């Protein structure tokens, strides 16, 4: 036989209790029947009055509730519908009242108040709808005017006009949202003041925006008039509501009077009924006690079965929670009912616990693997919380950061630990530098659930290796240039050798031309030698202020020698000085590397454009070629060390990486634009240095004598800021013609067209003009200056190439007395 469920057993007990209740009801029925007869009699006498009083009270309450509800409606149809309902309540209250009853007059007034409330509320709803539409338009206009006033590129007056229009729109929006006439008046005064202010400060500025705002605000259909009418209708509706509430209060008072009369009648009957009920209570008590005994017996029967099984299940669950996985429950107990389902749930839970144990063992294995992996990483690893606290780390973190491992206890912030250890941020992103010399790199990866994983690696040896590789790269570039220049030096030597042989048999007039050819070849070789020495003069960064156009012009020949014959080199330098603080040797090496890379990217004939220009506070150096270009994959790795895309394996992969490191270390940046078949453009950006005002007075007329075009251009650009008149000569004859008039300074090359003419020109200028000064420049200056004893303090020698620093120092020495005289004159001494 199938066991009954707990539910069935409880229903059985409840059925027995229901029988007992029915028995009690039957007993009570007889006792109450007698009272019912009396109630019937009472009903005939008082129920009609009570019902009328309750009806009046209910209708009055409905009327008092419905009338305020009309004020919250926005739909005229709903307002009319609810108004009819309120009028129907008044008519219902008036039904049955005697014709002379005073309450009728109050109900007539209430009916008129309802009509006034419906009329004013309907009109106010229509006006409110128009106001809301205007408010929406004004809100959009205010946001748009606020955006226009916030444009930083617009003129200040225009932004102020837009801001004033925005405030006008805000005033109109405030008037549209005001809850009383006083608020509307305040916003109207604000609107009038702003419109008058805009008209006063900007006459004739009544543009489309202001006209549209005035159309919204002013006139019989304007916002202010709509709000006044709307709020007036609202006041009328509220007055009608007060009248309706007064009528409802009178109805309620009438109902209270009728109820009090009915209660006095009921009280008289209550006393007579109490005696009959007392007898019925005694009988019911006996029956209730019997029913309680029956319910207790049923409860003990059910609870004994349920409680025993629940205790067995709870004990088994406690043992299972304590780790006893061998706990079992009998399978046959409670089969088919709720207890059986609990037994089945316990067995399922036990099976899940066994699976969870297996998962825990697997998790422990993974944790051990994770700890072994963390311990085996050679770099320092830290796991951070959302607040940057160290929640876990490996053993290498403390040695890498060079701190005591005890400092990592207590979940400190990684940034605080790094700062306390003395680490400072390096120039490259994520780099750290210690005052004692070690360097480190910090890489951070966010975790999906918050926090991050930070890898701290010791970069000291790698940075040293990069420095050595940078030196190797520079030496490699020098080797490439030297190989190309060797051919040109061979040509120079061949010219010198051939000219010397021809001089043995040449006539005297021909020998002069041959000597000039030899001198020109010597000057060319000397110039190339000087540029090579300047190119290789440093291995570590020694920044100095350099004029970019001068540096690029100086290295142009060197780059041209290093390129193949089919590649055209175009130099495009913006006029004017572009001073930058940089190591000139490293910058020349970087430009040479970029030009060599560009030349190797060109298959056959092509063009390389080396341009220098100003972009705001930056000086830009661009090397653009017409080569094969780079694919996006190659371009993405172009800056990485040891990455090369050359198929022949000749590239080291260090060129662009070293250029990138040098430019970043110099405070600049590098960018590459390239596409297959469209060539490559490498752009170097360096911050411009502020040009200090010259301490030198104007030099008056300056004569520059130079036969080399590039050196002549350099001298002119350097002297232009300190002179008001510039004379130029390419040979001694032209220079002597210019010296017929006074000059303040002569700057002359020592050798002009193969002849040493510099000393003669300087002597002529210094002898003829007592206030003149002279500067003699050459790529190979003599050890002795022949004119220094005759003209002390008036002549100087400078080595090529000319630079701003060298020229400024020489001019300061030559014009010291003039500087002092100018200073005294400025201070009135």
């Amino acid at each position: 036989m199938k066991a009954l469920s707990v539910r069935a057993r409880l229903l059985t007990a409840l059925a027995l209790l229901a029988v007992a209740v029915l028995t009690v009801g039957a007993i009570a029925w007889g006792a109450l029947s007698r009272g019912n007869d009396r109630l019937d009699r009472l009903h005939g006498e008082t129920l009609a009055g009570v019902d009328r009083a309750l009806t009046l009270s209910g209708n009055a309450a409905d009327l008092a509730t419905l009338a305020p509800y009309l004020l919250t409606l926005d739909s005229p149809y709903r307002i009319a519908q609810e108004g009819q309902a309120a009028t129907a309540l008044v008519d219902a209250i008036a039904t049955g009242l005697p014709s002379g009853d005073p309450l009728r007059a109050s109900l007539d007034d209430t009916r008129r108040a309802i009509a006034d409330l419906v009329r004013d509320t309907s009109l106010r709803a229509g006006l409110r709808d128009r106001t809301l539409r205007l408010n929406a338009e004004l809100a959009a206009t205010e946001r748009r005017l606020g955006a226009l006033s916030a444009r930083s590129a617009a003129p200040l007056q225009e932004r102020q006009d837009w801001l004033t229009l925005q405030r006008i729109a805000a005033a109109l929006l405030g008037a549209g949202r005001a809850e009383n006439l006083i608020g509307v008046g305040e916003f109207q005064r604000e609107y009038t003041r702003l419109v008058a202010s805009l008209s006063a400060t900007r006459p004739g500025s009544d543009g489309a925006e202001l006209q549209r705002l005035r159309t919204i605000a002013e006139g019989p259909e304007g916002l202010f008039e709509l709000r006044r009418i709307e709020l007036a209708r609202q006041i009328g509706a509220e007055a009608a509501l007060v009248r309706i509430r007064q009528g409802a209060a009178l109805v309620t008072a009438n109902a209270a009077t009728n109820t009090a009369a009915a209660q006095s009648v009921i009280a008289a009957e209550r006393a007579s009924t109490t005696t009959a009920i007392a007898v019925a209570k005694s009988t019911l008590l006996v029956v209730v006690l019997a029913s309680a005994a029956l319910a207790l017996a049923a409860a003990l029967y059910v609870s004994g079965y349920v409680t025993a099984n629940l205790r067995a299940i709870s004990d088994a669950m406690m043992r299972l929670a304590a780790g006893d996985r061998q706990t079992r429950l009998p399978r046959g107990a409670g089969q088919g009912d709720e207890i059986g389902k609990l037994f089945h749930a316990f067995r399922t839970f036990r099976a899940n616990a066994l699976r969870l144990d297996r998962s825990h063992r697997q998790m422990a294995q993974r944790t051990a693997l994770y700890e072994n992996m963390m311990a085996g990483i050679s770099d320092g690893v830290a796991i951070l919380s959302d607040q940057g606290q160290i929640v876990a780390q490996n053993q290498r973190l403390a040695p890498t950061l060079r701190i005591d491992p005890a400092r990592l206890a207590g979940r400190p912030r990684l940034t605080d630990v790094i700062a306390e250890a003395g680490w400072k941020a390096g120039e490259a992103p994520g780099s750290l530098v210690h005052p004692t010399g070690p360097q480190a790199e910090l890489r951070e990866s966010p975790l999906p659930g918050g926090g991050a994983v930070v890898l701290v690696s010791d970069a000291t040896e790698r940075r040293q290796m990069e420095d050595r590789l940078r030196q190797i790269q520079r030496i490699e570039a020098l080797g490439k240039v030297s190989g190309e220049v060797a051919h040109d030096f061979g040509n120079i030597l061949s010219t010198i050798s051939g000219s010397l042989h021809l001089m043995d048999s040449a006539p005297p007039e021909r020998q002069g031309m041959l000597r000039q050819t030899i001198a020109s070849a010597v000057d060319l070789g000397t110039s190339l030698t000087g540029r090579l020495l300047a190119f290789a003069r440093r291995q570590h960064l020694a920044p100095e202020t350099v004029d970019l156009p001068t540096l690029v012009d100086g290295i142009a020949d060197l780059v041209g020698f290093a390129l193949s014959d089919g590649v055209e080199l175009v130099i495009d330098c913006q006029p004017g000085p572009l001073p930058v603080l940089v190591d000139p040797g490293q910058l020349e090496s970087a430009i040479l590397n970029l030009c060599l890379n560009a030349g190797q990217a060109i298959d056959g004939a092509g063009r390389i454009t080396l341009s220098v220009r100003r972009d705001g506070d930056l000086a830009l150096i661009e090397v653009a070629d017409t080569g094969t270009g780079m694919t996006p994959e190659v371009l993405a790795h172009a800056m990485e060390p040891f990455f090369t895309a050359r198929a022949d394996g000749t590239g080291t992969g260090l060129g662009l990486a070293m250029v990138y490191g040098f430019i970043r270390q110099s405070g600049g940046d590098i960018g590459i634009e390239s596409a297959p078949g469209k060539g490559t453009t490498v752009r170097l950006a360096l911050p411009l240095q502020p040009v200090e005002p010259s301490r030198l007075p104007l030099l008056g007329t300056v004569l520059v004598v130079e036969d080399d075009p590039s050196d002549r251009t350099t001298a002119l650009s350097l002297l232009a800021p300190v002179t008001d008149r510039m004379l130029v000569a390419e040979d001694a004859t032209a220079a002597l013609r210019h010296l017929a008039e006074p000059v303040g300074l002569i700057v002359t090359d020592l050798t002009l067209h193969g002849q040493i003419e510099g000393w003669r020109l300087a002597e002529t200028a210094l002898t003829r003009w007592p206030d003149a000064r002279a500067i003699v420049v050459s790529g190979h200056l003599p050890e002795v200056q022949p004119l220094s004893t005759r003209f002390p303090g008036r002549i100087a020698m400078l080595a090529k190439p000319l630079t701003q620093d060298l020229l400024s120092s020489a001019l300061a020495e030559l014009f010291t007395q003039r500087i002092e005289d100018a200073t005294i004159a400025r201070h009135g001494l």
Side-chain angles (χ1 to χ4, degrees):
M1 181 179 178
K2 185 177 180 180
L4 292 175
S5 66
V6 174
R7 179 173 179 273
R9 297 174 189 180
L10 289 176
L11 288 176
T12 301
L14 292 175
L16 294 175
L17 288 177
V19 171
V21 170
L22 290 175
T23 303
V24 171
I27 295 171
W29 181 268
L32 294 176
S33 294
R34 293 186 297 273
N36 185 58
D37 295 336
R38 294 185 179 183
L39 289 176
D40 289 338
R41 187 171 59 255
L42 181 63
H43 178 272
E45 296 173 358
T46 62
L47 188 57
V50 172
D51 180 71
R52 179 174 174 277
L54 291 177
T55 301
L56 287 175
S57 179
N59 290 338
D62 292 341
L63 180 61
T65 302
L66 183 58
Y69 177 64
L70 289 173
L71 289 177
T72 64
L73 296 177
D74 294 327
S75 171
Y77 172 77
R78 291 290 309 280
I79 292 172
Q81 187 178 29
E82 297 298 333
Q84 292 177 359
T87 304
L89 287 175
V90 174
D91 295 337
I93 293 172
T95 302
L97 288 177
S99 58
D101 196 322
L103 190 58
R104 280 188 173 275
S106 176
L107 292 177
D108 292 337
D109 181 70
T110 301
R111 190 179 291 105
R112 288 190 297 273
I114 291 173
D116 294 340
L117 178 62
V118 170
R119 182 190 69 249
D120 291 338
T121 304
S122 298
L123 293 174
R124 183 184 66 85
L127 295 171
R128 184 61 178 169
D129 182 67
R130 293 171 61 187
T131 301
L132 290 176
R133 288 197 294 272
L134 291 177
N135 285 347
E137 181 180 355
L138 287 171
T141 302
E142 183 190 19
R143 290 193 296 272
R144 179 167 54 79
L145 293 174
L148 291 173
S149 66
R151 294 188 305 176
S152 59
L156 178 61
Q157 185 59 49
E158 181 180 346
R159 293 172 60 190
Q160 290 178 347
D161 291 344
W162 287 121
L163 182 60
T164 303
L165 289 172
Q166 180 191 5
R167 294 174 60 190
I168 292 173
L172 292 177
L173 187 60
R177 295 174 177 174
E179 296 296 330
N180 51 64
L181 290 174
I182 296 176
V184 173
E186 290 293 334
F187 283 112
Q188 186 173 12
R189 284 191 292 274
E190 176 67 8
Y191 161 81
T192 304
R193 183 185 67 79
L194 290 173
V195 171
S197 172
L198 183 60
S199 300
T201 57
R202 300 282 290 175
S205 63
D206 193 12
E209 292 293 342
L210 178 60
Q211 185 61 37
R212 189 156 63 89
L213 292 176
R214 297 187 67 175
T215 301
I216 293 174
E218 300 173 2
E221 296 296 325
L223 176 65
F224 292 115
E225 187 62 26
L226 290 179
R227 290 294 289 149
R228 289 191 188 93
I229 298 174
E230 176 191 346
L231 293 175
R233 291 299 180 180
Q234 182 175 355
I235 293 173
E238 291 173 353
L241 177 61
V242 171
R243 292 162 56 197
I244 294 171
R245 286 176 174 172
Q246 291 174 350
L250 291 176
V251 174
T252 302
N254 185 273
T257 302
N258 294 336
T259 302
Q263 285 178 348
S264 61
V265 176
I266 294 173
E269 291 295 330
R270 182 184 301 169
S272 61
T273 308
T274 301
T275 303
I277 292 176
V279 177
K281 284 182 179 180
S282 300
T283 306
L284 290 175
L285 178 61
V286 175
V287 177
V288 167
L289 290 175
S291 301
L294 177 62
L296 180 61
L300 290 175
Y301 173 78
V302 175
S303 64
Y305 170 75
V306 174
T307 303
N309 287 289
L310 288 179
R311 185 181 296 110
I313 294 173
S314 62
D315 292 342
M317 289 293 292
M318 291 294 294
R319 291 193 297 272
L320 183 62
D324 183 6
R325 302 294 187 261
Q326 304 301 321
T327 302
R328 297 178 180 274
L329 289 176
R331 290 187 173 274
Q335 243 180 355
D337 59 8
E338 290 82 356
I339 298 300
K341 294 178 181 178
L342 285 176
F343 275 40
H344 177 71
F346 168 78
R347 287 189 288 272
T348 303
F349 185 79
R350 177 174 173 273
N352 291 336
L354 293 174
R355 285 193 293 271
L356 186 60
D357 288 342
R358 288 193 296 272
S359 299
H360 284 168
R361 288 192 295 271
Q362 294 173 357
M363 184 63 68
Q365 293 174 356
R366 294 192 186 97
T367 302
L369 179 62
Y370 161 76
E371 292 176 352
N372 293 334
M373 180 185 67
M374 290 278 285
I377 295 177
S378 59
D379 296 332
V381 180
I383 300 178
L384 306 183
S385 66
D386 293 339
Q387 291 75 32
Q389 297 175 320
I390 303 176
V391 298
Q393 74 277 347
N394 67 347
Q395 297 178 353
R396 286 293 305 161
L397 182 61
T400 303
L401 293 176
R402 287 159 174 81
I403 60 174
D404 186 358
R407 180 63 183 86
L408 299 176
R411 301 184 64 174
R413 294 174 62 89
L414 180 61
T415 54
D416 296 339
V417 172
I418 292 175
E420 292 174 6
W423 293 93
K424 304 294 182 182
E427 296 181 358
S431 63
L432 299 174
V433 179
H434 200 272
T436 59
Q439 301 183 40
E441 287 186 351
L442 186 146
R443 293 187 294 275
E444 182 174 338
S445 299
L447 295 174
V453 176
V454 177
L455 181 67
V456 183
S457 57
D458 192 335
T460 305
E461 294 183 1
R462 184 169 61 81
R463 294 291 172 82
Q464 294 173 351
M465 180 64 69
E466 289 178 355
D467 292 340
R468 289 195 292 270
L469 289 175
R470 189 178 293 110
Q471 296 174 5
I472 293 171
Q473 177 69 14
R474 182 171 176 80
I475 294 172
E476 179 186 355
L478 282 173
K480 292 177 181 178
V481 174
S482 300
E484 297 292 338
V485 173
H487 175 72
D488 295 279
F489 270 111
N491 293 336
I492 293 172
L493 294 175
S494 297
T495 301
I496 296 173
S497 176
S499 298
L500 290 174
H501 285 297
L502 292 174
M503 287 180 65
D504 294 337
S505 58
E509 62 275 7
R510 176 64 175 166
Q511 289 181 3
M513 296 179 61
L514 292 173
R515 281 195 299 270
Q516 184 175 353
T517 301
I518 293 172
S520 298
V522 170
D523 284 342
L524 179 58
T526 302
S527 177
L528 290 177
T529 302
R531 288 170 182 169
L532 284 173
L533 291 175
F535 174 74
R537 66 182 179 270
R538 292 181 178 87
Q539 294 297 330
H540 300 285
L541 291 184
E544 61 184 66
T545 302
V546 178
D547 182 46
L548 276 185
T550 303
L551 183 141
V552 171
D553 286 339
I555 201 177
D557 293 339
L558 199 61
V559 174
F561 290 139
L563 298 175
S564 60
D565 296 336
V567 178
E568 176 189 3
L569 178 63
V570 178
I571 306 296
D572 181 15
C573 294
Q574 176 179 318
L578 293 176
V580 295
L581 184 63
V582 72
D583 186 325
Q586 292 287 0
L587 182 57
E588 290 173 352
S589 176
I591 295 174
L592 180 60
N593 267 312
L594 295 177
C595 291
L596 290 177
N597 287 344
Q600 292 168 354
I602 297 175
D603 186 10
R607 183 178 66 258
I608 297 175
T609 302
L610 175 58
S611 62
V612 177
R613 58 186 174 85
R614 182 189 185 111
D615 184 12
D617 295 334
L618 297 176
L620 298 183
I621 305 172
E622 289 187 356
V623 179
D625 62 68
T626 58
T628 57
M630 292 183 283
T631 63
E633 293 76 12
V634 174
L635 184 60
H637 300 280
M639 296 291 185
E640 297 179 2
F642 305 106
F643 175 81
T644 178
R646 298 181 189 172
D648 56 3
T650 58
T652 62
L654 297 174
L656 281 176
M658 295 179 69
V659 172
Y660 172 80
F662 159 67
I663 291 296
R664 294 291 292 177
Q665 188 176 354
S666 300
D669 200 357
I670 181 172
I672 304 178
E673 296 178 2
S674 183
K678 296 184 179 179
T680 301
T681 299
V682 181
R683 184 178 297 105
L684 307 181
L686 291 169
L688 286 170
Q689 295 298 306
V691 179
E692 298 182 359
S694 176
R695 296 178 59 251
L696 297 175
L698 287 177
L699 302 178
T701 301
V702 176
L703 173 60
V704 177
V705 186
E706 179 61 69
D707 57 350
D708 185 86
S710 62
D711 292 340
R712 185 167 59 248
T713 301
T714 300
L716 292 175
S717 65
L718 294 176
L719 289 168
V722 294
T723 182
D724 54 4
R725 185 182 179 206
M726 191 79 71
L727 302 177
V728 182
E730 300 182 9
D731 52 37
T733 303
L736 290 172
R737 285 198 303 268
H738 287 305
L739 288 176
E741 58 179 296
V743 296
L745 173 68
I746 178 173
V747 180
T748 177
D749 192 359
L750 180 60
T751 304
L752 297 172
H753 300 290
Q755 302 295 325
I756 298 178
E757 301 283 359
W759 301 124
R760 182 166 68 92
L761 295 176
E763 181 182 10
T764 302
L766 296 176
T767 303
R768 184 174 298 175
W769 309 112
D771 292 334
R773 303 292 189 270
I775 297 177
V776 179
V777 297
S778 178
H780 47 284
L781 288 171
E783 297 181 0
V784 179
Q785 185 185 125
L787 302 178
S788 59
T789 56
R790 293 179 54 194
F791 305 99
R794 296 179 61 193
I795 187 168
M797 293 191 306
L798 294 178
K800 287 186 178 181
L802 277 180
T803 64
Q804 182 70 51
D805 294 338
L806 289 176
L807 185 60
S808 298
S809 299
L811 293 177
E813 293 178 2
L814 292 175
F815 292 91
T816 301
Q817 186 62 40
R818 291 183 61 182
I819 295 173
E820 293 176 355
D821 294 342
T823 303
I824 292 173
R826 282 197 302 270
H827 291 82
L829 300 176

